[in-house]
Amino acid sequence: MNTTPDGRPIPPAHADERAMLEAWLDFHRATLALKCSGLKDDQLRLAAAAPSSMTLLGLVQHLAEVERNWFQRVFAGQDLPPVFGESNLDGFVLLPDRTLDEVMAVWQAEVARGRELIADASLDDSGRLPEQEAHHVGDQGVSLRWIMVHMIEEYARHNGHADFIRERIDGVTGA
């Protein structure tokens, strides 16, 4: 697989659907990690712009929660608590002593667990949404294909947020 100059995997120009979805999801995961690299703890905790409290560290925590939700809870049907506790359902709340290394390790573990759970699954296999979320989709069942496309858009949207936050921190743009 080819990589960008900053080391992110370049999705193939031609591949089957599964390989393409996995490659784009991995590209966006690598982009999030890149946005956080080389920063000090206080920089990772710097909010985007008032009134937003969104931070790069919070984004990584949030996406760990998103990974757990879609691959473990929805697709695999596992009953798991929130990654960072019941008082932090979406993952955005920061604790003063939680470091980037710790958060990245948790996020990477959630990514790895999701990969394990879908490794042998068909894109047509379905997971089950909680009733309160099913009305948004119009169905309680969602295919792995749907979940993977949703995950790509989730990362892409939050990587856009990360772009703005990183630019505010040190002027780094792109990627």
Side-chain angles (χ1 to χ4, degrees), residues 1-4 7-12 19 22-24 26-27:
M1 176 177 282
N2 293 329
T3 60
T4 60
R8 291 174 297 147
I10 298 173
E22 289 176 349
W24 274 105
D26 285 343
F27 175 83

Side-chain angles (χ1 to χ4, degrees), residues 63-128:
L63 286 159
E65 182 61 44
V66 168
E67 291 274 353
R68 176 174 285 188
N69 184 60
W70 287 102
F71 292 119
Q72 295 177 61
R73 292 186 191 114
V74 173
F75 186 72
Q78 298 176 349
D79 184 20
L80 298 169
V83 177
F84 294 101
E86 293 294 332
S87 63
N88 194 3
L89 296 178
D90 62 8
F92 284 111
V93 177
L94 303 180
L95 294 180
D97 59 343
R98 190 176 293 139
T99 66
L100 178 62
D101 288 344
E102 177 186 349
V103 171
M104 291 297 271
V106 169
W107 172 61
Q108 290 166 348
E110 295 300 322
V111 168
R113 182 67 181 131
R115 283 185 177 128
E116 289 171 14
L117 291 170
I118 68 169
D120 296 325
S122 163
L123 290 175
D124 293 322
D125 290 347
S126 288
R128 191 163 177 81

Side-chain angles (χ1 to χ4, degrees), residues 6 8 31-39 43 56 159-175:
D6 53 37
R8 291 174 297 147
T31 299
L32 179 65
L34 178 66
K35 286 294 168 185
C36 297
S37 68
L39 296 175
Q43 293 173 307
L56 287 172
N159 282 337
H161 297 134
D163 282 339
F164 286 123
I165 298 169
R166 182 66 190 249
E167 184 176 10
R168 178 167 189 250
I169 292 169
D170 64 1
V172 171
T173 60

Side-chain angles (χ1 to χ4, degrees), residues 116-172:
E116 289 171 14
L117 291 170
I118 68 169
D120 296 325
S122 163
L123 290 175
D124 293 322
D125 290 347
S126 288
R128 191 163 177 81
L129 290 169
E131 283 185 40
Q132 67 271 21
E133 293 178 31
H135 75 277
H136 297 296
V137 177
D139 194 331
Q140 203 162 8
V142 289
S143 70
L144 178 56
R145 177 182 293 102
W146 190 98
I147 292 169
M148 291 185 76
V149 169
H150 174 67
M151 290 296 291
I152 292 165
E153 73 83 19
E154 180 90 12
Y155 271 94
R157 179 169 14 105
H158 287 312
N159 282 337
H161 297 134
D163 282 339
F164 286 123
I165 298 169
R166 182 66 190 249
E167 184 176 10
R168 178 167 189 250
I169 292 169
D170 64 1
V172 171

